[in-house]
């Protein structure tokens, strides 16, 4: 159960409904996940949606590389909702099951293509250390260029925001979806036995 009531079309204010309808008409085609909580501030939800749409659909990163970075971030943030949503998207983008499983297990997959390996390394370092090493940065810059590297960094940051929102408000998984791992607040390794 979510920790807050999530607006529904029947309970939305006119401004919330305007943003809801705009999201539905956009590239997402539906409103789910963190935008459901963001609707408490319709302007926030509107701008959030625009930024997410840009980073998800309109960067120079191919979908496969975007989805790899998102999966690394979802797992680093222990966000089951984000993981489930983007596992499906990663599969559609051609990411192999063994790579997805390694990332779920918090392992760096071996035998990746050079581009896959570089994106996984960059996203992993950024999530773990809030920055990247000089060597990783230089390699990514040489391979992808400044624009793509700025977009990749923004993508990781954006999906960190998404994961934190999903986790903090306990936005429920889609019906029938089983969590691939526990939320941080449900993990005794994070909080101990008492919450």
């Amino acid at each position: 159960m979510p920790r807050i009531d999530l607006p529904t079309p029947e309970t939305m204010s006119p401004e919330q409904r305007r943003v809801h309808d705009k999201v539905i008409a956009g590239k997402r085609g539906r409103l789910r996940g963190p935008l459901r909580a963001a609707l408490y501030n319709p302007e926030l939800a509107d701008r959030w949606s625009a930024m997410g749409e840009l980073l998800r659909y309109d960067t120079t990163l191919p979908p496969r590389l975007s989805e790899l970075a998102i999966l690394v971030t979802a797992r680093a943030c222990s966000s089951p909702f984000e993981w489930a949503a983007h596992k499906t998207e990663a599969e559609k983008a051609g990411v192999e099951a063994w790579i997805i499983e390694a990332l779920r297990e918090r392992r760096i997959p071996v035998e990746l293509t050079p581009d896959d390996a570089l994106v996984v390394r960059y996203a992993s370092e950024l999530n773990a250390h809030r920055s990247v090493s000089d060597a990783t940065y230089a390699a990514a810059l040489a391979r992808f260029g400044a624009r793509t590297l700025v977009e990749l960094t923004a993508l990781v940051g954006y999906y960190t925001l998404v994961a934190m929102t999903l986790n903090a408000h306990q936005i429920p998984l889609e019906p029938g979806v089983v969590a691939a791992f526990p939320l941080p607040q449900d993990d005794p390794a994070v909080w101990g036995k008492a919450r």
Side-chain angles (χ1 to χ4, degrees):
M1 295 298 298
R3 288 175 161 172
I4 56 175
D5 291 330
L6 300 174
T8 64
E10 300 77 36
T11 64
M12 290 176 190
S13 70
E15 186 59 20
Q16 289 172 322
R17 187 59 192 237
R18 183 191 67 75
V19 174
H20 171 273
D21 292 350
K22 184 177 175 182
V23 171
I24 299 298
K27 292 183 180 180
R28 283 187 173 90
R30 62 183 177 153
L31 190 139
R32 67 180 191 152
L35 288 176
R36 295 175 69 197
L39 272 176
Y40 271 92
N41 179 331
E43 184 176 355
L44 171 64
D46 192 26
R47 293 180 186 203
W48 182 323
S49 177
M51 182 176 205
E53 218 173 81
L54 170 72
L55 291 171
R56 178 95 183 278
Y57 303 109
D58 296 319
T59 69
T60 56
L61 286 161
R64 178 186 178 93
L65 297 183
S66 289
E67 293 304 329
L68 283 169
I70 295 166
L71 284 181
V72 168
T73 303
R75 192 58 186 107
C77 294
S78 296
S79 180
F81 187 111
E82 187 169 276
W83 178 269
H86 287 280
K87 176 182 183 280
T88 300
E89 293 303 314
E91 291 167 345
K92 289 179 191 173
V95 178
E96 295 81 355
W98 63 270
I99 295 173
I100 294 170
E101 182 59 18
L103 295 175
R104 189 190 67 77
E105 292 174 354
R106 293 188 167 153
R107 291 184 293 108
I108 302 295
V110 295
E111 299 180 18
L112 294 173
T113 67
D115 284 357
D116 287 0
L118 194 48
V119 166
V120 167
R121 189 168 93 214
Y122 190 94
S124 296
E125 287 183 18
L126 191 54
N127 275 290
H129 308 294
R130 311 305 176 251
S131 192
V132 293
S133 67
D134 288 342
T136 298
Y137 193 90
L141 183 62
R143 173 62 187 103
F144 300 120
R147 176 181 172 161
T148 301
L149 199 53
V150 167
E151 292 169 343
L152 176 58
T153 305
L155 183 75
V156 171
Y158 173 78
Y159 278 96
T160 300
L161 166 67
V162 168
M164 288 180 176
T165 301
L166 291 165
N167 288 356
H169 301 297
Q170 292 185 354
I171 306 299
L173 292 165
E174 298 288 319
V177 175
V178 177
F181 41 80
L183 283 166
Q185 56 265 42
D186 296 332
D187 188 347
V190 175
W191 300 106
K193 291 184 180 179
R195 283 178 31 191

